[in-house]
């Protein structure tokens, strides 16, 4: 074995690095064959794209928040939607119209891309569907809205969409098609008879009666409202809780209702705290609906639930049963003992007076000539 001379000594830093490499190899173990080196998990995000959509004109944005029209059946209007590419590469947009609806949680939503529009979205026509916009540029795209002659009066709501479709890969390697959409809302009022109406379709009351008769518990009121008219409605709703004889126990603060499109429904759940078990509880749903034009008459509907303090009722029942049994014992003890009846006769005895005592002259004549009657 060769000796290490001063000129061939290994620096301490190199020795420490070698020992660290050996230790790391021991801890990690040898690499397995046939296994690729670890890679970052693939993402479904093919890249950040940013754009904006707004009502516009032929010369640029007009400052409107929405497209709002008042048209008669058979009318048409030409307008522009501004699509601005806020990214750093060209983007190709699909521009088209679609219908709106109210979701079950009260949000404004547009039909998914795989569902064809049948209302105002179908009345919007764009010259072509595909539009390419350069980075930092805006395209003011014209469209035409034509109201059919048989369109029903009232509100028709939708949107003008600018969508970007991109291919991506999920974390598990699945290829997906991403459809990212931004829209400008369209509110169309078709001339004719306007019939605003709100209906409370159902009210359900739940109450968890406390054991303590002077306790408090929460009362839950669930009610479903429907826009049964032909225009958009909103407003506020509150719940009033009454006890017997109209005694008001609690009242909630008014809550804002979402904007309901014609035909839409929405379910509201209100929790009223600290309600006493007042035998019979009545919840009244009090709506103050409004349209974009005016306030509507209030709408009310009630529902009731029993709130019986079971512990108190059980105590009253036990007390009543004890009083009843005690009274019955007293009445039984105060009754006189039953003796032999005067109308009953023993053996050899006759009822009433004896035969000798009741025999008159006629009786004596009947025994004349015979032996005299023996008197006992």
């Amino acid at each position: 074995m060769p000796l290490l001379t001063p000129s061939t000594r290994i620096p301490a830093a190199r020795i420490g690095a070698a020992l660290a490499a050996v230790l790391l190899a021991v801890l990690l173990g040898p690499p397995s064959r046939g296994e690729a080196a670890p890679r970052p998990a693939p993402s479904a995000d093919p890249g950040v794209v940013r754009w904006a959509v707004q009502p516009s004109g032929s010369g640029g944005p007009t400052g409107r928040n929405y497209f709002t029209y008042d048209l008669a059946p058979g009318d048409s209007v030409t307008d522009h939607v501004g699509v601005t590419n806020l990214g750093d590469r060209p983007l190709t947009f699909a521009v088209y119209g679609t219908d709106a609806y109210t979701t079950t949680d009260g949000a404004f939503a547009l039909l998914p891309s795989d569902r064809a529009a049948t209302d105002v979205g179908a009345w919007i026509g764009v010259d072509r569907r595909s539009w390419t916009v350069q980075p930092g540029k805006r395209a003011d795209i014209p469209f035409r809205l034509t109201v059919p002659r048989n369109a029903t009066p009232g509100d028709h709501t939708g949107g003008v969409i600018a969508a970007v479709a991109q291919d991506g890969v999920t974390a598990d390697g699945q290829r997906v098609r991403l459809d990212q959409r931004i829209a400008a809302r369209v509110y169309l009022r078709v001339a004719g008879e306007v019939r605003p109406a709100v209906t409370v379709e159902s009210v359900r009351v739940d109450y968890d009666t406390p054991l303590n008769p002077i306790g408090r518990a929460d009362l839950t009121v669930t009610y479903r409202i429907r826009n049964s008219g032909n225009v958009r409605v909103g407003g506020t709703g509150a719940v009033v809780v009454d006890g017997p004889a109209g005694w008001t126990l609690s009242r909630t603060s008014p809550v804002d209702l979402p904007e309901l499109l014609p035909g839409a429904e929405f379910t509201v759940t209100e929790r009223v705290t600290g309600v006493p078990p007042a035998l019979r509880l009545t919840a009244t749903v009090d709506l103050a609906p409004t349209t974009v034009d005016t306030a509507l008459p209030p709408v009310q509907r009630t529902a009731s639930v029993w709130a019986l303090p079971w512990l108190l009722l059980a105590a009253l029942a036990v007390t009543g049963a004890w009083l009843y049994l005690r009274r019955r014992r007293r009445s039984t003890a105060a009754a006189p003992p039953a003796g032999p009846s005067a109308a009953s006769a023993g053996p050899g005895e006759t009822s009433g007076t004896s035969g000798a005592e009741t025999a008159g002259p006629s009786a004596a004549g009947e025994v004349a000539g015979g032996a005299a009657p023996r008197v006992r």
Side-chain angles (χ1 to χ4, degrees), residues 34 49 87 144 180 209 218 299:
V49 292
R144 189 172 186 82
Q180 305 172 73
T209 305
D218 292 348
V299 178

Side-chain angles (χ1 to χ4, degrees), residues 162-353:
V164 174
Q166 293 182 308
D167 293 326
V169 180
T170 63
D172 57 357
Q174 298 289 331
R175 298 190 63 83
V176 295
R177 184 74 169 172
L178 300 179
D179 184 23
Q180 305 172 73
R181 309 191 305 169
I182 299 178
R185 298 185 186 185
V186 175
Y187 291 107
L188 169 63
R189 171 72 62 86
V190 176
E193 181 186 2
V194 174
R195 295 179 292 99
V198 178
T199 305
V200 181
E201 293 193 330
S202 65
V203 179
R204 188 179 74 247
V205 182
D206 298 308
Y207 183 71
D208 189 10
T209 305
L211 292 178
N212 185 356
I214 60 173
R216 298 289 189 272
D218 292 348
L219 181 139
T220 304
V221 182
T222 304
Y223 59 94
R224 185 174 68 250
I225 59 177
R226 176 182 292 275
N227 182 351
S228 52
N230 62 356
V231 294
R232 295 177 284 142
V233 296
T236 60
V239 174
V240 180
V241 181
D242 294 330
W247 173 32
T248 299
L249 301 174
S250 183
R251 180 190 299 267
T252 64
S253 299
V255 296
D256 292 330
L257 301 176
E259 180 184 73
L260 298 180
L261 303 181
E265 64 179 32
F266 180 65
T267 300
V268 181
T269 300
E270 287 273 19
R271 183 177 297 276
V272 187
T273 60
V275 179
L279 300 180
R280 186 72 170 172
L281 301 176
T282 300
T284 301
V285 176
D286 189 5
L287 299 184
T290 60
T291 68
V292 295
D293 305 313
T294 184
L296 301 178
V299 178
Q300 293 184 339
R301 182 165 176 175
T302 63
S304 300
V305 65
W306 287 105
L308 302 175
W310 297 111
L311 189 61
L312 178 61
L313 292 179
L316 293 176
V318 170
T319 302
W322 178 77
L323 292 175
Y324 172 77
L325 294 176
R326 182 180 179 185
R327 182 179 178 182
R328 186 166 182 177
R329 290 197 198 97
R330 287 183 176 180
S331 60
T332 303
S341 175
S344 63
E349 297 180 352
T350 59
S351 177
T353 56

Side-chain angles (χ1 to χ4, degrees), residues 11-111:
R14 294 180 59 186
I15 296 176
L19 291 176
V22 172
L23 179 60
L24 184 62
V26 171
L27 292 177
L28 297 180
S32 59
R33 293 186 177 182
E35 184 177 352
R39 297 179 301 174
S43 171
D45 185 5
V48 177
V49 292
R50 296 183 299 122
W51 72 99
V53 178
Q54 62 189 134
S56 188
S58 58
T62 57
R64 294 173 293 172
N65 293 323
Y66 312 118
F67 294 108
T68 305
Y69 308 107
D70 288 281
L71 301 174
D75 289 351
S76 63
V77 62
T78 299
D79 212 332
H80 296 74
V81 59
V83 180
T84 305
N85 183 354
L86 301 175
D88 56 2
R89 57 189 174 90
L91 293 176
T92 299
F93 299 94
V95 180
Y96 58 95
T98 191
D99 298 338
Y101 66 98
T102 303
T103 63
T104 56
D105 59 355
F108 179 96
L110 297 173
L111 294 179

